[in-house]
Amino acid sequence: MAPGAAPHRIRPSLRLVALLLLFLRIDASVHDYANEKFVSRGNAFVIHGGSEGLYATAAPPSGNDSSDSAGDGYSFIRFEKIMFRRPKEAAVSSKESDTNLVQAIVFEVEDREYVGGSAYGGQRAVCCTPDLAKLGACVQGTVIYRPSVQNPDWPKVFPIAFRGDDLVAVLPSHTIPITRTGMYNLYFIFCDPGLNGLVIEGKTIWKNPSGYLPGRMSPLLNFYGAMSLAFVILGIFWFSQYARFWREVLPLQNCITLVITLGMFEMALWYFEYAEFNKTGVRPVGITIWAVTFGTIKRTVSRVIILMVSMGFGVVRPTLGGFTSKVIVLGTTFFLASEVLELVENVGAVSDLSGKARLFLVLPVAILDAFFIIWIFTSLSKTLDKLQVFLNILLLFSVARRLLAKLDIYRKFTNSLVVAVIVSVGWMSYELYFKSTDVYSEKWQSAWIIPAFWQVLSFSLLCVICALWAPSQNSMRYAYSDDGSDDREDTLSLLKPASSHAKENWRSSSPEAKTALAIDFSPPEEDKRE
């Protein structure tokens, strides 16, 4: 180390530090290290001990330094039972060496420039090189760092030395109070290749004033509480309408009821998951699995329902016909791909996936989502065209009441989907910009908005659908009719033999118009047999 090193002699190893920051991102607030091995990074051997956003508090009063209560109102990072073990071969070969040193370094992301350096603009390094040692900038075999200008007590560096041929070195329990809000990073580093094979045991505990939730996740606790309340309000409205007009309920409205129920369970489970995480510092696997599963089922069912509505199911056609199996296959595939991605990201994992591994899981979901969107808008276009053709024909006979209602609701539905897609594309662009410009997670305090937005957008679209298809005494006017009701009866009455002028109009109608009328308004097969 080199507290007094000249600034121009040590250039920040920003690129290497960035690699260290991105190497392993841990979300759990209690980080357990069970015989983890160090990995070579540049000229150093590294284990990433954690990265979390922590809010500042005053240092705890004397005597409370080791408090681990989630509600004591203090922020800290605490080392507990940290132990390093080296192989016997390493102990024998290096017992005469003075560089059997492991260092734990904690720094705030804004101080990353003070970790690492280079001599004369050469290759940047984390460990002190012979050239830097000759310059007197640092001690060879140790981590290069300088005191922060804003806070001279940082970075915090804790040396752990092996004595003689000891196989074990222990870092005494220690608590670091957090008095400056920021994204904090912990690394365990050694520079001597003779210690190769070293492993670490123990744990560190990271705590915010309100509990153990990482800073970038803590606002989500209140968010999911608010979303749970929003779903309850939506559920009260929907179920009250459902109970009042249960005789008029359509199959489509039963599907919407299922989505609302799944959403209520999903939001409640996420709230309890975050509450438990905040209390204990470890994600509860059981609750997380159920929250992920309910959420995946809800997203799958929602997409399938929107696709079915777009195809006119229950409104302008009684079944999906030959498309049923294709819709089932697409929905099942989307569910499996989404479930795997969400489980790997949230359940039992304390590390974010590497870029390539996550891309491997994200791509199938993105492709299937795109396929859903294309199919939905293609089907909507065909359904709207069909309704418009029928409407133009019926306007000749002034009996377009039901089709007018259907066409109006489909136009509103289409406009809502278009707005949702445009907003989604815009937000995805912003999300890409946000992540590409926040390499070091300096914007961690606003990172929670990214996942929260998708929940809000999904809920907003669900509210629009509920408003368009809410159960009412007129619900059946939106349903597919094959029982000789309003429009068809009126139409058939107008099609019976009448004046010669009407007959002439019928004879002059286009083949397409005659075909459309014959398809939609001819008596059912049962009536014909009778």
Side-chain angles (χ1 to χ4, degrees):
M1 60 184 176
H8 69 280
R9 294 284 181 94
I10 300 181
R11 298 186 179 181
S13 55
L14 299 183
R15 189 173 181 180
L16 186 55
V17 172
L19 290 174
L20 293 176
L21 291 173
L22 296 176
F23 170 60
L24 184 61
R25 299 285 297 281
I26 302 179
D27 282 335
S29 289
V30 177
H31 302 279
D32 287 305
Y33 317 112
N35 293 319
E36 293 189 31
K37 294 183 178 180
F38 286 74
V39 179
S40 176
R41 284 289 180 269
N43 69 340
F45 296 84
V46 179
I47 284 181
H48 182 218
S51 292
E52 284 189 19
L54 297 174
Y55 291 94
T57 57
S62 177
N64 292 344
D65 190 57
S66 62
S67 173
D68 62 355
S69 171
D72 62 11
Y74 296 107
S75 294
F76 59 75
I77 302 172
R78 185 164 65 249
F79 299 92
E80 285 195 356
K81 301 177 181 178
I82 299 294
M83 184 181 303
F84 301 92
R85 297 180 184 275
R86 60 178 175 175
K88 291 183 179 179
E89 299 78 9
V92 172
S93 63
S94 61
K95 71 178 178 180
E96 301 299 331
S97 174
D98 295 328
T99 60
N100 299 330
L101 187 69
V102 182
Q103 291 172 283
I105 181 167
V106 183
F107 62 94
E108 203 273 324
V109 69
E110 290 185 359
D111 296 335
R112 62 186 180 274
E113 296 183 356
Y114 301 107
V115 178
S118 63
Y120 307 114
Q123 185 177 4
R124 295 176 175 88
V126 171
C127 289
C128 185
T129 62
D131 289 338
L132 284 171
K134 291 177 181 178
L135 294 172
C138 55
V139 177
Q140 187 173 350
T142 62
V143 175
I144 305 169
Y145 74 94
R146 292 178 293 131
S148 169
V149 173
Q150 295 181 350
N151 193 345
D153 293 333
W154 288 81
K156 299 286 187 182
V157 179
F158 304 94
I160 308 99
F162 286 90
R163 304 297 180 187
D165 57 357
D166 289 346
L167 298 179
V168 175
V170 177
L171 173 63
S173 295
H174 187 77
T175 299
I176 306 173
I178 302 300
T179 57
R180 182 173 61 148
T181 298
M183 173 64 69
Y184 287 85
N185 303 276
L186 165 63
Y187 291 92
F188 298 100
I189 303 173
F190 70 83
C191 302
D192 184 3
L195 289 176
N196 195 18
L198 190 71
V199 297
I200 183 175
E201 298 177 5
K203 65 180 179 181
T204 54
I205 299 174
W206 306 55
K207 200 184 82 60
N208 269 295
S210 59
Y212 291 107
L213 273 177
R216 58 178 170 265
M217 299 172 68
S218 57
L220 290 173
L221 177 61
N222 294 330
F223 170 77
Y224 281 115
M227 287 299 298
S228 298
L229 179 61
F231 264 96
V232 168
I233 294 173
L234 178 62
I236 291 173
F237 161 75
W238 183 264
F239 292 126
S240 63
Q241 293 293 103
Y242 193 96
R244 286 179 60 195
F245 306 106
W246 63 274
R247 293 181 183 275
E248 304 292 326
V249 169
L250 306 174
L252 173 61
Q253 291 165 335
N254 289 329
C255 295
I256 296 173
T257 302
L258 174 61
V259 173
I260 294 174
T261 304
L262 289 170
M264 294 172 69
F265 277 107
E266 181 195 10
M267 294 301 108
L269 285 168
W270 277 122
Y271 175 78
F272 287 117
E273 196 263 0
Y274 276 85
E276 183 67 15
F277 190 4
N278 191 51
K279 181 180 179 181
T280 64
V282 179
R283 304 195 80 159
V285 176
I287 298 178
T288 309
I289 289 176
W290 281 110
V292 165
T293 302
F294 272 105
T296 305
I297 294 174
K298 186 197 77 173
R299 286 191 295 275
T300 303
V301 172
S302 299
R303 283 160 174 75
V304 170
I305 289 175
I306 292 174
L307 178 58
M308 291 167 60
V309 170
S310 302
M311 298 172 74
F313 172 72
V315 179
V316 298
R317 60 193 300 175
T319 67
L320 295 179
F323 291 108
T324 302
S325 58
K326 296 178 181 178
V327 172
I328 292 174
V329 170
L330 179 60
T332 302
T333 307
F334 179 83
F335 169 78
L336 294 175
S338 299
E339 182 77 354
V340 170
L341 174 62
E342 294 296 326
L343 287 175
V344 171
E345 285 193 330
N346 293 284
V347 180
V350 296
S351 306
D352 285 346
L353 296 173
S354 66
K356 292 183 179 179
R358 191 177 187 279
L359 183 64
F360 177 77
L361 296 175
V362 169
L363 269 180
V365 177
I367 292 172
L368 291 169
D369 246 337
F371 196 85
F372 262 116
I373 292 172
I374 294 171
W375 198 357
I376 285 169
F377 279 100
T378 302
S379 301
L380 266 177
S381 177
K382 293 179 180 178
T383 302
L384 285 170
D385 289 344
K386 183 178 180 181
L387 285 171
Q388 189 64 57
V389 169
F390 292 161
L391 181 62
N392 292 338
I393 295 170
L394 291 179
L395 283 174
L396 297 174
F397 306 105
S398 302
V399 287
R401 289 172 296 172
R402 179 171 294 193
L403 279 178
L404 274 174
K406 291 180 181 179
L407 185 59
D408 181 62
I409 201 171
Y410 264 91
R411 282 175 174 167
K412 292 178 179 177
F413 179 62
T414 302
N415 292 338
S416 301
L417 286 182
V418 169
V419 171
V421 170
I422 293 174
V423 172
S424 297
V425 172
W427 188 257
M428 283 190 289
S429 301
Y430 170 75
E431 186 175 343
L432 289 173
Y433 168 78
F434 182 93
K435 292 182 178 179
S436 64
T437 57
D438 190 33
V439 179
Y440 302 104
S441 297
E442 294 175 280
K443 302 175 183 177
W444 59 274
Q445 295 183 70
S446 57
W448 67 276
I449 298 175
I450 299 295
F453 174 84
W454 295 112
Q455 294 287 0
V456 172
L457 180 62
S458 174
F459 179 76
S460 300
L461 186 57
L462 178 60
C463 288
V464 170
I465 293 174
C466 288
L468 293 176
W469 275 282
S472 68
Q473 60 184 0
N474 296 320
S475 291
M476 297 307 295
R477 73 188 296 192
Y478 304 124
Y480 175 84
S481 176
D482 61 356
D483 57 358
S485 56
D486 300 340
D487 289 337
R488 197 193 66 191
E489 288 182 350
D490 294 339
T491 305
L492 290 176
S493 68
L494 288 172
L495 293 177
K496 66 184 180 181
S499 65
S500 59
H501 179 68
K503 293 180 180 179
E504 186 65 24
N505 283 341
W506 171 252
R507 282 195 291 271
S508 63
S509 298
S510 65
E512 291 81 0
K514 295 177 183 178
T515 303
L517 287 171
I519 291 174
D520 250 61
F521 302 108
S522 60
E525 293 298 323
E526 295 78 27
D527 295 345
K528 291 180 180 179
R529 288 196 295 270
E530 292 175 358

